[in-house]
Amino acid sequence: EALLRTAGGYVNYSYRPVDTKNFILQAGVSGGFVTKNIDWSKLTFSDQLDETMGKFKESSFNRPGYNHVSYADFSAGLVMRFNGSARRQRSSFKRFNATLGAGVHHLSQPKDAFLADNEKLPLKLVFHAQANLLFNEFIVSPGSVFEMQNAFRTFSIGSNFVSQPFIIGVWFRNRTAAMNIKQYDSFIFTLGLNMKSKYETTWRVTYNFDMTISRLKTSSYGSHELSLLFEIPNKVLFSKNVNSKNM
């Protein structure tokens, strides 16, 4: 019923201070604007409900005179990539690269609450690591992501398997890095397809199913996501003297 609507837009910029054959260092910043709207009239509160009659009376909740919140939001991050040397042709394992990164979200800690004037959006820290292992006919991409925001913690680990044009992925989300099976939140399954067009643009269609296995599974068995992405070849934007392969 669209009780809470959120809309926003962001602009991202990244720069590579180090770009060599075996090591790349890249920094990035992001800034944007977010707006939220809520319809108080469509909310149902506990004092409106009766065990036998259901919803039948007005709530004692005093609705605020405003239903709109807007704020600017900023993030920053750093990524390091290590490229391994190519292996001998006789080996099925050809080469690898590894990526380590970290990001900080909501740097300005904006106020995003409708009720508490002093409530701010807390900082969110994200740490991630990934490797790409290239074999003769396929690529294995194991990785992990750790997210932290106030008392909230989540740790995801898994891998994608790529054999052109197909992508298959299996991931696990846990509340701690200890990977205690009793604290698993969900399993995530991914299916994808890469398609190349005659204009050198790569299209990617992916389907993700996030299967909930925590106590929330009584009300929700999971969520589905269908996405369409396309990659445009590197282009020279600002100078004819810049080699597009290095962008």
Side-chain angles (χ1 to χ4, degrees), residues 70-74 106-113 119-122:
S70 298
Y71 56 87
D73 193 19
F74 303 94
H106 315 308
L107 287 170
S108 58
Q109 293 188 268
K111 297 179 181 180
D112 73 330
E119 192 71 21
K120 294 183 178 180
L121 190 61

Side-chain angles (χ1 to χ4, degrees), residues 5-193:
R5 294 181 178 180
T6 302
Y10 288 84
V11 176
N12 305 315
Y13 174 78
S14 64
Y15 174 71
R16 291 183 178 179
V18 180
D19 189 351
T20 65
K21 179 180 179 181
N22 296 321
F23 177 71
I24 296 174
L25 177 65
Q26 183 165 317
V29 293
S30 175
F33 190 79
V34 178
T35 179
K36 296 182 178 181
N37 293 276
I38 190 169
D39 188 345
W40 299 109
S41 65
K42 294 183 179 180
L43 296 177
T44 301
F45 299 91
S46 59
D47 61 351
Q48 295 179 264
L49 304 176
D50 182 85
E51 294 182 357
T52 57
M53 301 294 294
K55 179 180 178 181
F56 75 106
K57 61 181 180 179
E58 291 294 325
S59 172
S60 59
F61 173 72
N62 294 321
R63 296 181 176 89
Y66 55 90
N67 61 353
H68 177 82
V69 174
S70 298
Y71 56 87
D73 193 19
F74 303 94
S75 305
L78 188 70
V79 173
M80 297 179 292
R81 178 168 175 170
F82 306 89
N83 296 318
S85 57
R87 303 294 180 176
R88 295 178 180 178
Q89 294 295 329
R90 289 178 295 178
S91 173
S92 60
F93 175 63
K94 298 302 180 183
R95 65 185 309 162
F96 79 96
N97 61 60
T99 302
L100 298 174
V104 184
H105 300 264
H106 315 308
L107 287 170
S108 58
Q109 293 188 268
K111 297 179 181 180
D112 73 330
F114 289 96
L115 299 178
D117 292 339
N118 295 322
E119 192 71 21
K120 294 183 178 180
L121 190 61
L123 288 174
K124 178 181 177 181
L125 303 178
V126 180
F127 302 93
H128 61 89
Q130 184 181 12
N132 292 307
L133 309 176
L134 175 61
F135 294 87
N136 282 335
E137 302 295 336
F138 61 94
I139 301 173
V140 180
S141 300
S144 62
V145 180
F146 177 71
E147 299 176 86
M148 177 173 61
Q149 189 174 31
N150 275 358
F152 174 79
R153 305 285 191 278
T154 182
F155 181 76
S156 302
I157 188 170
S159 182
N160 291 330
F161 305 89
V162 182
S163 181
Q164 295 293 353
F166 303 105
I167 305 171
I168 299 175
V170 180
W171 291 75
F172 308 91
R173 182 184 296 120
N174 202 13
R175 277 169 277 173
T176 68
M179 300 305 293
N180 186 338
I181 193 170
K182 294 183 179 180
Q183 293 184 318
Y184 278 157
D185 282 334
S186 63
F187 293 157
I188 305 167
F189 303 96
T190 300
L191 294 175
L193 181 66

Side-chain angles (χ1 to χ4, degrees), residues 199-218:
Y199 301 105
E200 298 183 356
T201 301
T202 300
W203 297 80
R204 181 180 304 161
V205 180
T206 58
Y207 164 74
N208 296 284
F209 175 56
D210 193 328
M211 183 176 68
T212 304
I213 59 173
S214 65
R215 287 180 295 178
L216 291 175
K217 66 182 179 181
T218 56

